[in-house]
Amino acid sequence: MSQEGYDKLVAELHELEYVQYPKVKEALIEAREKGDLSENFEYHAARREQSKLIGRIRFKQRVLEHARVIDTSRLSSDTVGLLSNVDLTNMNTGSVFNYTIVSPHESDLSNKKISIKSPIAQALIGKKTGDIVEVKVPAGVVKWRIDNIRLSV
């Protein structure tokens, strides 16, 4: 994963552990003080929220535990790989696209970051500038031409 993605994940985990969890814990204490827990909606809602939050915290902890930050100085811009920023032309429509290939935990299509596990990224991996790649997508088969490859830093 990129250093940026790692730092973002660390910040998200910190937010969950030290900001959101104490709020949920406080809400649980307040709901518990209201009496009969068997019919206390606020208590059950707070418990559900606490369980979801603990699950998210544990998931992010596991991701960070197994994460490796990629040293971009050791990557090549000759072929498409993880952290490559790729300019593509759709051969069917002539549309131009730009994607950065990132780890699954960093993917964000609104910021043009696609997971290395996505069908488009899988078809592009190992290819060079000028190569024509056919990608099977839900709408059919799309032909892409790789116009440029550079490292995303």
Side-chain angles (χ1 to χ4, degrees), residues 38-105:
S38 64
E39 296 181 16
N40 187 333
F41 174 77
E42 289 178 24
Y43 175 76
H44 293 290
R47 286 293 305 244
R48 276 194 301 279
E49 186 62 30
Q50 182 186 37
S51 294
K52 287 183 352 187
L53 196 56
I54 289 171
R56 288 174 55 206
I57 289 169
R58 287 184 180 150
F59 174 76
K60 291 189 185 298
Q61 286 173 334
R62 278 194 307 277
V63 169
L64 286 171
E65 188 177 306
H66 298 289
R68 285 188 347 204
V69 175
I70 303 295
D71 179 6
T72 55
S73 68
R74 301 182 75 194
L75 298 176
S76 167
S77 61
D78 295 339
T79 59
V80 178
L82 188 61
L83 302 181
S84 291
N85 187 295
V86 186
D87 295 327
L88 304 165
T89 300
N90 183 323
M91 299 301 287
N92 301 336
T93 65
S95 302
V96 177
F97 296 89
N98 174 273
Y99 293 117
T100 301
I101 299 174
V102 295
S103 75
H105 301 289

Side-chain angles (χ1 to χ4, degrees), residues 18-37:
Y18 298 105
V19 177
Q20 292 185 24
Y21 187 75
K23 287 179 184 177
V24 169
K25 195 172 179 181
E26 185 63 35
L28 193 58
I29 291 169
E30 287 176 19
R32 189 179 292 141
E33 291 173 352
K34 293 186 178 178
D36 185 15
L37 299 181

Side-chain angles (χ1 to χ4, degrees), residues 92-130:
N92 301 336
T93 65
S95 302
V96 177
F97 296 89
N98 174 273
Y99 293 117
T100 301
I101 299 174
V102 295
S103 75
H105 301 289
E106 297 177 85
S107 67
D108 179 5
L109 196 53
S110 63
N111 287 318
K112 299 180 181 179
K113 294 181 178 184
I114 60 172
S115 169
I116 194 164
K117 293 185 178 184
S118 71
I120 294 173
Q122 287 293 302
L124 295 173
I125 297 298
K127 302 296 191 271
K128 296 181 178 200
T129 301

